[in-house]
Protein backbone atom coordinates (compact mmCIF):
# COMPACT_ATOMS: atom_id res chain seq x y z
CA UNK A 1 0.00 0.00 0.00
CA UNK A 2 1.35 3.40 -1.03
CA UNK A 3 1.94 6.17 1.49
CA UNK A 4 -0.73 8.85 1.56
CA UNK A 5 1.63 11.56 0.32
CA UNK A 6 2.61 9.53 -2.75
CA UNK A 7 -0.98 8.72 -3.52
CA UNK A 8 -1.91 12.37 -3.34
CA UNK A 9 0.88 13.32 -5.76
CA UNK A 10 0.04 10.54 -8.20
CA UNK A 11 -3.64 11.31 -8.41
CA UNK A 12 -3.18 14.64 -10.24
CA UNK A 13 -0.56 13.06 -12.50
CA UNK A 14 -2.86 10.22 -13.43
CA UNK A 15 -5.69 12.66 -13.97
CA UNK A 16 -3.55 14.77 -16.31
CA UNK A 17 -2.37 11.69 -18.20
CA UNK A 18 -5.91 10.44 -18.56
CA UNK A 19 -6.97 13.84 -19.81
CA UNK A 20 -4.16 13.92 -22.39
CA UNK A 21 -4.82 10.37 -23.55
CA UNK A 22 -8.54 11.01 -23.69
CA UNK A 23 -7.97 14.24 -25.57
CA UNK A 24 -5.67 12.58 -28.10
CA UNK A 25 -8.13 9.72 -28.58
CA UNK A 26 -10.86 12.28 -29.04
CA UNK A 27 -8.67 13.99 -31.66
CA UNK A 28 -8.14 10.74 -33.51
CA UNK A 29 -11.83 9.83 -33.38
CA UNK A 30 -12.96 13.34 -34.26
CA UNK A 31 -10.62 13.79 -37.20
CA UNK A 32 -11.40 10.26 -38.40
CA UNK A 33 -15.11 10.99 -38.31
CA UNK A 34 -14.61 14.28 -40.12
CA UNK A 35 -12.47 12.56 -42.72
CA UNK A 36 -15.01 9.83 -43.32
CA UNK A 37 -17.85 12.35 -43.55
CA UNK A 38 -15.95 14.56 -45.99
CA UNK A 39 -15.01 11.59 -48.12
CA UNK A 40 -18.56 10.31 -48.22
CA UNK A 41 -19.78 13.76 -49.28
CA UNK A 42 -17.05 13.96 -51.90
CA UNK A 43 -18.04 10.55 -53.22
CA UNK A 44 -21.65 11.59 -53.39
CA UNK A 45 -20.70 14.87 -55.05
CA UNK A 46 -18.66 13.00 -57.68
CA UNK A 47 -21.65 10.79 -58.41
CA UNK A 48 -24.02 13.76 -58.57
CA UNK A 49 -21.71 15.78 -60.82
CA UNK A 50 -21.48 12.84 -63.21
CA UNK A 51 -25.26 12.47 -63.16
CA UNK A 52 -25.84 16.15 -63.90
CA UNK A 53 -23.30 16.14 -66.74
CA UNK A 54 -24.87 13.01 -68.21
CA UNK A 55 -28.37 14.45 -67.89
CA UNK A 56 -27.34 17.65 -69.67
CA UNK A 57 -25.73 15.68 -72.48
CA UNK A 58 -28.69 13.32 -72.76
CA UNK A 59 -31.07 16.29 -72.86
CA UNK A 60 -29.06 17.91 -75.65
CA UNK A 61 -29.02 14.74 -77.73
CA UNK A 62 -32.71 14.12 -77.12
CA UNK A 63 -33.55 17.68 -78.20
CA UNK A 64 -31.62 17.20 -81.46
CA UNK A 65 -33.34 13.88 -82.17
CA UNK A 66 -36.75 15.21 -81.24
CA UNK A 67 -36.30 18.30 -83.42
CA UNK A 68 -35.50 16.20 -86.49
CA UNK A 69 -38.43 13.87 -85.83
CA UNK A 70 -40.76 16.88 -85.45
CA UNK A 71 -39.47 18.43 -88.68
CA UNK A 72 -40.04 15.18 -90.53
CA UNK A 73 -43.46 14.76 -88.94
CA UNK A 74 -44.52 18.16 -90.31
CA UNK A 75 -43.87 16.80 -93.81
CA UNK A 76 -45.94 13.69 -93.04
CA UNK A 77 -48.81 15.82 -91.73
CA UNK A 78 -48.73 18.01 -94.84
CA UNK A 79 -49.02 14.98 -97.09
CA UNK A 80 -51.88 13.52 -95.01
CA UNK A 81 -53.74 16.84 -95.24
CA UNK A 82 -53.16 17.48 -98.94
CA UNK A 83 -53.87 13.92 -100.05
CA UNK A 84 -57.48 14.41 -98.87
CA UNK A 85 -58.08 17.22 -101.39
CA UNK A 86 -60.77 15.78 -103.71
CA UNK A 87 -59.14 17.06 -106.91
CA UNK A 88 -55.65 15.76 -106.05
CA UNK A 89 -56.13 12.56 -108.05
CA UNK A 90 -57.05 14.48 -111.21
CA UNK A 91 -53.78 16.42 -111.33
CA UNK A 92 -50.73 15.45 -113.32
CA UNK A 93 -47.99 13.61 -111.39
CA UNK A 94 -45.72 16.67 -111.52
CA UNK A 95 -48.35 19.05 -110.12
CA UNK A 96 -49.41 16.50 -107.56
CA UNK A 97 -45.81 16.12 -106.39
CA UNK A 98 -45.48 19.88 -106.12
CA UNK A 99 -48.57 20.10 -103.91
CA UNK A 100 -47.78 17.09 -101.72
CA UNK A 101 -44.04 17.43 -101.27
CA UNK A 102 -43.25 21.13 -101.82
CA UNK A 103 -42.62 21.65 -98.09
CA UNK A 104 -41.21 18.20 -97.37
CA UNK A 105 -38.09 18.20 -95.17
CA UNK A 106 -34.91 17.15 -96.96
CA UNK A 107 -31.60 16.06 -95.52
CA UNK A 108 -29.02 13.43 -96.33
CA UNK A 109 -30.35 11.15 -93.60
CA UNK A 110 -34.02 11.51 -94.58
CA UNK A 111 -35.56 8.94 -96.91
CA UNK A 112 -38.28 9.73 -99.46
CA UNK A 113 -41.94 10.04 -98.50
CA UNK A 114 -44.25 7.33 -99.82
CA UNK A 115 -48.02 7.00 -99.89
CA UNK A 116 -49.60 3.54 -99.75
CA UNK A 117 -53.32 2.98 -100.32
CA UNK A 118 -55.64 0.93 -98.11
CA UNK A 119 -54.59 -2.25 -99.92
CA UNK A 120 -50.94 -1.58 -99.20
CA UNK A 121 -49.92 -0.67 -102.76
CA UNK A 122 -47.46 2.17 -103.36
CA UNK A 123 -49.30 5.04 -105.04
CA UNK A 124 -46.99 8.05 -104.73
CA UNK A 125 -43.24 8.36 -104.13
CA UNK A 126 -41.60 11.74 -103.49
CA UNK A 127 -38.41 10.52 -105.18
CA UNK A 128 -40.03 9.54 -108.51
CA UNK A 129 -43.00 10.64 -110.61
CA UNK A 130 -43.58 7.04 -111.64
CA UNK A 131 -42.93 4.92 -108.52
CA UNK A 132 -41.74 1.35 -108.82
CA UNK A 133 -44.22 -1.30 -107.65
CA UNK A 134 -44.11 -1.82 -103.90
CA UNK A 135 -46.45 -3.21 -101.27
CA UNK A 136 -46.42 -2.56 -97.51
CA UNK A 137 -49.30 -4.70 -96.32
CA UNK A 138 -47.03 -6.93 -94.21
CA UNK A 139 -44.88 -4.14 -92.78
CA UNK A 140 -45.02 -3.07 -89.16
CA UNK A 141 -46.18 0.52 -89.68
CA UNK A 142 -48.94 -0.53 -92.09
CA UNK A 143 -50.33 -3.11 -89.67
CA UNK A 144 -50.25 -0.61 -86.79
CA UNK A 145 -52.14 2.14 -88.64
CA UNK A 146 -54.69 -0.22 -90.15
CA UNK A 147 -55.79 -1.37 -86.69
CA UNK A 148 -55.29 1.87 -84.71
CA UNK A 149 -57.49 4.81 -85.70
CA UNK A 150 -55.85 7.27 -83.27
CA UNK A 151 -52.24 6.14 -83.35
CA UNK A 152 -50.78 9.45 -84.50
CA UNK A 153 -47.09 9.40 -85.41
CA UNK A 154 -45.61 5.91 -85.34
CA UNK A 155 -41.86 5.25 -85.20
CA UNK A 156 -40.90 1.72 -86.14
CA UNK A 157 -38.14 -0.58 -84.95
CA UNK A 158 -34.92 -0.47 -86.99
CA UNK A 159 -35.32 -2.17 -90.37
CA UNK A 160 -33.52 -2.21 -93.73
CA UNK A 161 -34.80 0.12 -96.47
CA UNK A 162 -34.94 -0.56 -100.21
CA UNK A 163 -31.20 0.11 -100.55
CA UNK A 164 -30.30 -2.17 -97.68
CA UNK A 165 -29.53 0.68 -95.28
CA UNK A 166 -30.84 0.45 -91.72
CA UNK A 167 -33.46 3.05 -90.83
CA UNK A 168 -36.43 3.78 -88.59
CA UNK A 169 -39.73 4.49 -90.34
CA UNK A 170 -41.98 7.40 -89.40
CA UNK A 171 -45.57 7.08 -90.54
CA UNK A 172 -49.05 8.49 -90.18
CA UNK A 173 -52.47 7.06 -90.99
CA UNK A 174 -54.59 8.39 -93.85
CA UNK A 175 -58.26 8.32 -92.92
CA UNK A 176 -61.29 9.01 -95.10
CA UNK A 177 -63.96 11.54 -94.26
CA UNK A 178 -65.87 8.72 -92.59
CA UNK A 179 -62.83 7.70 -90.53
CA UNK A 180 -62.20 4.56 -92.59
CA UNK A 181 -58.62 3.45 -93.18
CA UNK A 182 -57.38 5.04 -96.40
CA UNK A 183 -53.71 4.13 -96.36
CA UNK A 184 -50.40 5.26 -94.88
CA UNK A 185 -47.85 7.99 -95.56
CA UNK A 186 -44.38 6.90 -94.50
CA UNK A 187 -40.82 8.18 -94.52
CA UNK A 188 -37.57 7.11 -92.90
CA UNK A 189 -34.60 8.43 -90.96
CA UNK A 190 -31.48 6.42 -91.64
CA UNK A 191 -29.55 5.08 -88.66
CA UNK A 192 -26.49 6.85 -90.07
CA UNK A 193 -27.97 10.06 -88.61
CA UNK A 194 -27.96 8.61 -85.08
CA UNK A 195 -24.54 7.08 -85.67
CA UNK A 196 -23.05 10.43 -86.76
CA UNK A 197 -24.74 12.20 -83.84
CA UNK A 198 -23.40 9.73 -81.26
CA UNK A 199 -19.94 9.67 -82.83
CA UNK A 200 -19.51 13.36 -82.04
CA UNK A 201 -19.92 12.64 -78.32
CA UNK A 202 -16.66 12.00 -76.47
CA UNK A 203 -17.11 9.02 -74.17
CA UNK A 204 -14.81 7.34 -71.67
CA UNK A 205 -13.29 3.91 -72.48
CA UNK A 206 -16.05 2.08 -70.59
CA UNK A 207 -18.90 4.56 -71.13
CA UNK A 208 -21.86 3.85 -73.41
CA UNK A 209 -24.54 5.82 -75.24
CA UNK A 210 -27.68 4.03 -76.37
CA UNK A 211 -30.86 5.07 -78.18
CA UNK A 212 -33.74 2.80 -77.18
CA UNK A 213 -37.19 2.48 -78.70
CA UNK A 214 -39.96 2.84 -76.16
CA UNK A 215 -40.79 -0.84 -76.81
CA UNK A 216 -37.37 -1.82 -75.47
CA UNK A 217 -35.46 -2.37 -78.73
CA UNK A 218 -32.04 -0.82 -79.41
CA UNK A 219 -31.94 1.72 -82.24
CA UNK A 220 -28.29 2.82 -81.95
CA UNK A 221 -25.39 2.31 -79.55
CA UNK A 222 -21.99 3.89 -79.04
CA UNK A 223 -19.45 2.28 -79.08
CA UNK A 224 -21.11 1.04 -82.25
CA UNK A 225 -21.98 -2.63 -82.46
CA UNK A 226 -24.18 -3.71 -85.39
CA UNK A 227 -25.25 -6.76 -83.39
CA UNK A 228 -26.89 -4.44 -80.84
CA UNK A 229 -29.15 -2.72 -83.41
CA UNK A 230 -32.65 -4.11 -82.97
CA UNK A 231 -31.76 -6.09 -79.85
CA UNK A 232 -34.61 -6.62 -77.38
CA UNK A 233 -33.64 -5.34 -73.90
CA UNK A 234 -36.95 -5.93 -72.17
CA UNK A 235 -35.42 -8.51 -69.84
CA UNK A 236 -32.47 -6.32 -68.79
CA UNK A 237 -32.28 -4.95 -65.24
CA UNK A 238 -33.89 -1.50 -64.98
CA UNK A 239 -35.25 -1.40 -68.53
CA UNK A 240 -38.86 -1.16 -67.34
CA UNK A 241 -38.04 2.03 -65.42
CA UNK A 242 -36.31 3.45 -68.48
CA UNK A 243 -39.35 2.66 -70.64
CA UNK A 244 -41.89 4.09 -68.20
CA UNK A 245 -40.12 7.21 -66.84
CA UNK A 246 -39.23 10.15 -69.07
CA UNK A 247 -36.24 11.15 -66.95
CA UNK A 248 -34.28 9.25 -64.33
CA UNK A 249 -31.10 7.47 -63.32
CA UNK A 250 -30.01 4.16 -61.85
CA UNK A 251 -26.93 2.02 -61.27
CA UNK A 252 -26.83 -1.32 -63.07
CA UNK A 253 -24.43 -3.59 -64.96
CA UNK A 254 -24.20 -3.03 -68.73
CA UNK A 255 -26.33 -5.38 -70.83
CA UNK A 256 -23.43 -6.06 -73.21
CA UNK A 257 -20.28 -6.21 -71.07
CA UNK A 258 -21.59 -6.25 -67.49
CA UNK A 259 -19.59 -3.11 -66.56
CA UNK A 260 -21.23 -1.34 -63.57
CA UNK A 261 -22.50 2.02 -64.79
CA UNK A 262 -24.52 5.01 -63.78
CA UNK A 263 -27.32 5.19 -66.36
CA UNK A 264 -29.11 8.48 -67.03
CA UNK A 265 -31.91 8.73 -69.56
CA UNK A 266 -33.92 11.49 -71.09
CA UNK A 267 -36.67 11.72 -73.69
CA UNK A 268 -39.10 14.41 -74.70
CA UNK A 269 -42.16 12.19 -74.46
CA UNK A 270 -41.61 10.54 -77.85
CA UNK A 271 -40.95 6.93 -78.77
CA UNK A 272 -37.13 7.14 -78.50
CA UNK A 273 -35.16 7.28 -75.25
CA UNK A 274 -31.58 8.56 -74.99
CA UNK A 275 -29.64 6.49 -72.42
CA UNK A 276 -26.15 7.55 -71.28
CA UNK A 277 -24.11 5.07 -69.24
CA UNK A 278 -21.02 6.27 -67.36
CA UNK A 279 -18.84 3.62 -65.74
CA UNK A 280 -18.61 3.86 -61.96
CA UNK A 281 -14.84 3.39 -62.20
CA UNK A 282 -14.46 6.59 -64.24
CA UNK A 283 -16.67 8.45 -61.73
CA UNK A 284 -14.83 7.33 -58.61
CA UNK A 285 -11.19 7.08 -59.78
CA UNK A 286 -10.42 10.80 -59.17
CA UNK A 287 -12.22 10.59 -55.83
CA UNK A 288 -10.09 7.61 -54.73
CA UNK A 289 -6.87 9.55 -55.35
CA UNK A 290 -8.16 12.51 -53.36
CA UNK A 291 -9.40 10.18 -50.63
CA UNK A 292 -5.96 8.59 -50.16
CA UNK A 293 -4.33 12.03 -49.84
CA UNK A 294 -6.99 13.32 -47.43
CA UNK A 295 -6.82 10.22 -45.22
CA UNK A 296 -3.03 10.52 -44.97
CA UNK A 297 -3.23 14.21 -44.10
CA UNK A 298 -5.96 13.63 -41.54
CA UNK A 299 -3.96 10.83 -39.92
CA UNK A 300 -0.95 13.12 -39.44
CA UNK A 301 -3.09 15.95 -38.09
CA UNK A 302 -4.88 13.61 -35.69
CA UNK A 303 -1.57 12.33 -34.26
CA UNK A 304 -0.11 15.81 -33.59
CA UNK A 305 -3.36 17.33 -32.32
CA UNK A 306 -3.51 18.25 -28.63
CA UNK A 307 -6.26 18.43 -26.07
CA UNK A 308 -6.22 22.22 -26.14
CA UNK A 309 -6.74 22.31 -29.89
CA UNK A 310 -9.71 19.95 -29.75
CA UNK A 311 -11.30 21.96 -26.94
CA UNK A 312 -10.75 25.14 -28.90
CA UNK A 313 -12.17 23.52 -32.02
CA UNK A 314 -15.25 22.45 -30.10
CA UNK A 315 -15.70 25.96 -28.76
CA UNK A 316 -15.30 27.39 -32.23
CA UNK A 317 -17.79 24.92 -33.69
CA UNK A 318 -20.28 25.88 -30.99
CA UNK A 319 -19.76 29.55 -31.69
CA UNK A 320 -20.07 28.97 -35.42
CA UNK A 321 -23.30 27.02 -34.91
CA UNK A 322 -24.72 29.82 -32.78
CA UNK A 323 -23.80 32.44 -35.34
CA UNK A 324 -25.29 30.34 -38.10
CA UNK A 325 -28.49 29.85 -36.13
CA UNK A 326 -28.77 33.55 -35.37
CA UNK A 327 -28.04 34.43 -38.98
CA UNK A 328 -30.69 31.96 -40.14
CA UNK A 329 -33.23 33.43 -37.74
CA UNK A 330 -32.55 36.90 -39.09
CA UNK A 331 -33.47 35.93 -42.66
CA UNK A 332 -36.33 33.48 -42.00
CA UNK A 333 -40.00 34.23 -41.52
CA UNK A 334 -40.91 32.90 -38.09
CA UNK A 335 -44.40 31.66 -39.03
CA UNK A 336 -43.88 29.98 -42.40
CA UNK A 337 -40.18 29.08 -42.36
CA UNK A 338 -39.73 30.75 -45.76
CA UNK A 339 -37.30 33.58 -46.45
CA UNK A 340 -38.43 36.88 -44.98
CA UNK A 341 -38.80 40.19 -46.83
CA UNK A 342 -35.24 41.24 -46.04
CA UNK A 343 -33.81 38.03 -47.47
CA UNK A 344 -36.15 38.33 -50.48
CA UNK A 345 -34.84 41.83 -51.28
CA UNK A 346 -31.21 40.69 -50.95
CA UNK A 347 -31.69 37.62 -53.14
CA UNK A 348 -33.66 39.53 -55.78
CA UNK A 349 -30.90 42.14 -56.01
CA UNK A 350 -28.22 39.44 -56.20
CA UNK A 351 -30.05 37.38 -58.82
CA UNK A 352 -30.86 40.55 -60.80
CA UNK A 353 -27.15 41.34 -61.09
CA UNK A 354 -26.21 37.71 -61.86
CA UNK A 355 -28.86 37.31 -64.56
CA UNK A 356 -27.84 40.72 -65.90
CA UNK A 357 -24.24 39.50 -66.28
CA UNK A 358 -25.33 36.21 -67.84
CA UNK A 359 -28.01 37.88 -70.01
CA UNK A 360 -30.55 35.30 -68.85
CA UNK A 361 -34.21 35.69 -67.96
CA UNK A 362 -35.24 36.30 -64.34
CA UNK A 363 -38.84 35.48 -63.39
CA UNK A 364 -40.88 36.56 -60.37
CA UNK A 365 -44.17 35.30 -58.95
CA UNK A 366 -46.32 37.29 -56.52
CA UNK A 367 -48.91 35.13 -54.77
CA UNK A 368 -51.83 36.58 -52.84
CA UNK A 369 -54.28 34.52 -50.78
CA UNK A 370 -57.83 35.18 -51.99
CA UNK A 371 -60.34 36.56 -49.46
CA UNK A 372 -57.89 35.93 -46.61
CA UNK A 373 -59.48 38.54 -44.34
CA UNK A 374 -62.82 36.72 -44.61
CA UNK A 375 -61.06 33.42 -43.95
CA UNK A 376 -59.26 34.93 -40.95
CA UNK A 377 -62.47 36.40 -39.57
CA UNK A 378 -64.28 33.07 -40.02
CA UNK A 379 -61.66 30.69 -38.61
CA UNK A 380 -59.73 33.00 -36.34
CA UNK A 381 -56.09 34.02 -36.35
CA UNK A 382 -54.93 30.52 -35.48
CA UNK A 383 -56.82 29.13 -38.45
CA UNK A 384 -55.31 31.85 -40.63
CA UNK A 385 -51.82 31.02 -39.37
CA UNK A 386 -52.38 27.32 -40.12
CA UNK A 387 -53.53 28.24 -43.62
CA UNK A 388 -50.44 30.39 -44.23
CA UNK A 389 -48.18 27.60 -42.99
CA UNK A 390 -49.87 25.06 -45.26
CA UNK A 391 -49.66 27.38 -48.26
CA UNK A 392 -45.97 28.04 -47.50
CA UNK A 393 -45.33 24.28 -47.34
CA UNK A 394 -47.12 23.83 -50.67
CA UNK A 395 -45.10 26.60 -52.33
CA UNK A 396 -41.85 25.15 -50.98
CA UNK A 397 -42.78 21.73 -52.38
CA UNK A 398 -43.61 23.07 -55.84
CA UNK A 399 -40.51 25.32 -56.08
CA UNK A 400 -38.02 22.55 -56.70
CA UNK A 401 -34.79 24.07 -58.04
CA UNK A 402 -32.00 24.80 -55.60
CA UNK A 403 -31.50 28.35 -56.91
CA UNK A 404 -35.19 29.31 -56.56
CA UNK A 405 -36.28 31.36 -53.56
CA UNK A 406 -39.71 31.25 -51.91
CA UNK A 407 -40.41 34.08 -49.47
CA UNK A 408 -43.18 35.58 -47.40
CA UNK A 409 -43.62 38.98 -49.03
CA UNK A 410 -46.18 40.45 -46.65
CA UNK A 411 -49.15 39.43 -44.49
CA UNK A 412 -50.91 36.98 -46.83
CA UNK A 413 -48.61 37.57 -49.82
CA UNK A 414 -45.81 35.29 -50.95
CA UNK A 415 -43.14 35.70 -53.60
CA UNK A 416 -41.05 33.27 -55.62
CA UNK A 417 -37.82 34.25 -57.39
CA UNK A 418 -37.01 32.00 -60.36
CA UNK A 419 -33.48 32.68 -61.69
CA UNK A 420 -32.80 31.77 -65.31
CA UNK A 421 -36.49 31.08 -65.92
CA UNK A 422 -38.57 32.19 -68.90
CA UNK A 423 -42.13 33.43 -68.67
CA UNK A 424 -43.30 30.05 -69.95
CA UNK A 425 -41.50 28.01 -67.29
CA UNK A 426 -42.60 30.51 -64.62
CA UNK A 427 -46.21 30.06 -65.77
CA UNK A 428 -45.86 26.29 -65.30
CA UNK A 429 -44.54 26.75 -61.74
CA UNK A 430 -47.30 29.25 -60.95
CA UNK A 431 -50.02 26.94 -62.21
CA UNK A 432 -48.62 24.05 -60.17
CA UNK A 433 -48.71 26.22 -57.05
CA UNK A 434 -52.24 27.47 -57.76
CA UNK A 435 -53.56 23.94 -58.35
CA UNK A 436 -51.80 22.52 -55.29
CA UNK A 437 -53.14 25.28 -53.02
CA UNK A 438 -56.64 24.80 -54.40
CA UNK A 439 -56.42 21.13 -53.38
CA UNK A 440 -55.64 22.00 -49.74
CA UNK A 441 -58.40 21.20 -47.28
CA UNK A 442 -58.25 22.73 -43.81
CA UNK A 443 -60.96 21.04 -41.73
CA UNK A 444 -63.22 21.11 -44.77
CA UNK A 445 -62.38 24.70 -45.69
CA UNK A 446 -60.72 25.46 -49.03
CA UNK A 447 -58.58 28.40 -49.97
CA UNK A 448 -57.27 29.73 -53.28
CA UNK A 449 -54.56 32.09 -54.47
CA UNK A 450 -54.12 34.58 -57.30
CA UNK A 451 -50.70 34.76 -58.90
CA UNK A 452 -48.99 37.45 -60.92
CA UNK A 453 -46.11 36.46 -63.19
CA UNK A 454 -43.41 38.49 -64.90
CA UNK A 455 -40.03 37.76 -66.44
CA UNK A 456 -37.31 39.96 -67.86
CA UNK A 457 -33.71 39.80 -69.02
CA UNK A 458 -32.24 42.49 -66.74
CA UNK A 459 -30.51 45.36 -68.48
CA UNK A 460 -28.01 47.75 -66.95
CA UNK A 461 -30.51 50.63 -67.12
CA UNK A 462 -33.27 48.69 -65.32
CA UNK A 463 -33.99 48.09 -61.65
CA UNK A 464 -35.62 45.15 -59.80
CA UNK A 465 -38.46 47.48 -58.87
CA UNK A 466 -39.59 47.37 -62.50
CA UNK A 467 -39.97 43.60 -62.31
CA UNK A 468 -41.85 43.83 -59.00
CA UNK A 469 -44.18 46.50 -60.40
CA UNK A 470 -45.00 44.45 -63.51
CA UNK A 471 -45.60 41.33 -61.41
CA UNK A 472 -47.79 43.28 -59.01
CA UNK A 473 -49.83 44.63 -61.90
CA UNK A 474 -50.30 41.11 -63.26
CA UNK A 475 -51.41 40.00 -59.79
CA UNK A 476 -54.04 42.72 -59.65
CA UNK A 477 -55.24 41.67 -63.10
CA UNK A 478 -55.62 38.11 -61.80
CA UNK A 479 -57.65 39.32 -58.83
CA UNK A 480 -59.77 41.68 -60.97
CA UNK A 481 -60.48 38.80 -63.37
CA UNK A 482 -62.09 36.73 -60.61
CA UNK A 483 -59.18 35.38 -58.49
CA UNK A 484 -57.90 31.77 -58.29
CA UNK A 485 -55.92 32.21 -61.49
CA UNK A 486 -52.51 33.14 -62.86
CA UNK A 487 -51.85 36.17 -65.02
CA UNK A 488 -48.62 37.08 -66.81
CA UNK A 489 -47.15 40.49 -67.52
CA UNK A 490 -46.05 41.47 -70.98
CA UNK A 491 -42.31 42.02 -71.52
CA UNK A 492 -40.91 45.22 -70.03
CA UNK A 493 -39.52 47.45 -72.82
CA UNK A 494 -37.92 50.83 -72.05
CA UNK A 495 -38.68 53.79 -74.29
CA UNK A 496 -35.82 54.79 -76.63
CA UNK A 497 -33.18 56.75 -74.74
CA UNK A 498 -34.75 56.14 -71.34
CA UNK A 499 -32.72 54.77 -68.44
CA UNK A 500 -34.01 53.33 -65.21
CA UNK A 501 -35.32 56.73 -64.16
CA UNK A 502 -37.53 56.83 -67.25
CA UNK A 503 -38.87 53.39 -66.52
CA UNK A 504 -39.53 54.18 -62.86
CA UNK A 505 -41.38 57.35 -63.75
CA UNK A 506 -44.18 55.53 -65.56
CA UNK A 507 -47.52 55.82 -63.85
CA UNK A 508 -49.26 52.94 -62.06
CA UNK A 509 -51.83 52.99 -64.86
CA UNK A 510 -49.08 52.37 -67.40
CA UNK A 511 -47.80 49.45 -65.33
CA UNK A 512 -51.21 47.83 -65.13
CA UNK A 513 -51.74 48.37 -68.85
CA UNK A 514 -48.44 46.54 -69.46
CA UNK A 515 -49.77 43.39 -67.76
CA UNK A 516 -51.35 40.72 -69.95
CA UNK A 517 -55.06 40.15 -69.61
Amino acid sequence: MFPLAKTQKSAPRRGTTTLIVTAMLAVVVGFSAISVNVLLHMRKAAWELARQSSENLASTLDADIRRNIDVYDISLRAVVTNIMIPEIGELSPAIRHLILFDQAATAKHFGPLKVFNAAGHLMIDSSALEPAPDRAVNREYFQVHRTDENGGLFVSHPAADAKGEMAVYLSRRISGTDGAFGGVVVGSIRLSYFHDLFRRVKLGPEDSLTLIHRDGFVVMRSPFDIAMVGRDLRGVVGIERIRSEQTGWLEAPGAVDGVPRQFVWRDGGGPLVTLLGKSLASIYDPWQSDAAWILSAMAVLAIVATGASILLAREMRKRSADEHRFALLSITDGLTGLANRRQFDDILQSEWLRNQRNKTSLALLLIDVDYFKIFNDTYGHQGGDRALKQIATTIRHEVQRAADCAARYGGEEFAVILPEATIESAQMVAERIRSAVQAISLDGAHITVSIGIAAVVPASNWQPAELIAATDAALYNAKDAGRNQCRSARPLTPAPGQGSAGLSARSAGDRITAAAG
Side-chain angles (χ1 to χ4, degrees), residues 39 42 286-301:
L39 291 175
M42 289 176 59
W287 169 81
Q288 289 175 348
S289 299
D290 292 339
W293 184 89
I294 290 175
L295 286 175
S296 300
M298 290 299 102
V300 172
L301 290 174

Side-chain angles (χ1 to χ4, degrees), residues 388-399:
L388 292 177
K389 290 179 181 179
Q390 187 64 44
I391 293 171
T393 300
T394 301
I395 294 173
R396 186 186 297 110
H397 181 266
E398 298 300 333
V399 178

Side-chain angles (χ1 to χ4, degrees), residues 476-488:
Y476 274 96
N477 273 352
K479 298 183 79 68
D480 290 343
R483 294 178 167 82
N484 190 24
Q485 56 186 279
C486 306
R487 286 298 177 97
S488 301

